[in-house]
Amino acid sequence: QVVLVESGGGLVQAGGSLRLSCAASGRTFNSYAMGWFRQAPGKEREFVAAISRSGANTYYTDSVKGRFTISRVNAKNTVYLQMNSLKPEDTAVYYCAAKPTASSTYYYYGRQYDYWGRGTQVTVSS
């Protein structure tokens, strides 16, 4: 089992940047594909970005392509989400998720993930 803890959220003006971090417990972090999801008030949870075990493969939802970057440092058991050019519509609680896998691919359906963090709030003011 892995425990995920997100950090780095906050209040930022439109056009600003934030970097979210997700720290994972355990010694087998490089056995997990990782993903970021978000949920805005009154809306369903949506996929944001995903990364494979090694970090070689990444995938983004269209609305964040060119603005967000997902990365990971396996030696630090941490995955990041660098968010630039933030927009008010990016306001949400952001969650990281982990899926144990032997594959080198990424996953973008929430139901594919086994472990979830508690989330960190990101608020973008206009």
Side-chain angles (χ1 to χ4, degrees), residues 22 24 26-32 34 72-74 77-79:
C22 173
R27 297 186 293 177
T28 58
F29 183 64
N30 60 3
S31 298
Y32 294 86
M34 301 296 295
R72 64 190 295 165
V73 178
N74 285 343
N77 281 18
T78 303
V79 62

Side-chain angles (χ1 to χ4, degrees), residues 4-124:
L4 304 173
V5 179
E6 303 95 338
S7 61
L11 174 63
V12 64
Q13 289 188 333
S17 298
L18 283 174
R19 188 177 80 156
L20 305 184
S21 299
C22 173
S25 65
R27 297 186 293 177
T28 58
F29 183 64
N30 60 3
S31 298
Y32 294 86
M34 301 296 295
W36 285 98
F37 292 77
R38 65 187 180 186
Q39 187 167 21
K43 295 187 177 181
E44 293 187 353
R45 182 182 63 196
E46 66 171 349
F47 167 77
V48 176
I51 191 166
S52 60
R53 295 190 309 158
S54 68
N57 300 306
T58 59
Y59 186 72
Y60 301 89
T61 193
D62 286 346
S63 63
V64 309
K65 284 180 182 177
R67 300 190 298 122
F68 291 11
T69 302
I70 188 171
S71 62
R72 64 190 295 165
V73 178
N74 285 343
K76 293 186 177 181
N77 281 18
T78 303
V79 62
Y80 303 96
L81 186 68
Q82 177 66 45
M83 305 186 296
N84 298 329
S85 302
L86 282 161
K87 304 176 181 180
E89 51 263 44
D90 295 318
T91 295
V93 178
Y94 283 70
Y95 300 90
C96 71
K99 175 181 172 55
T101 180
S103 172
S104 62
T105 191
Y106 45 73
Y107 302 88
Y108 44 83
Y109 291 115
R111 62 178 181 269
Q112 295 175 300
Y113 287 85
D114 297 89
Y115 304 103
W116 293 82
R118 293 189 174 185
T120 185
Q121 176 71 47
V122 172
T123 303
V124 184

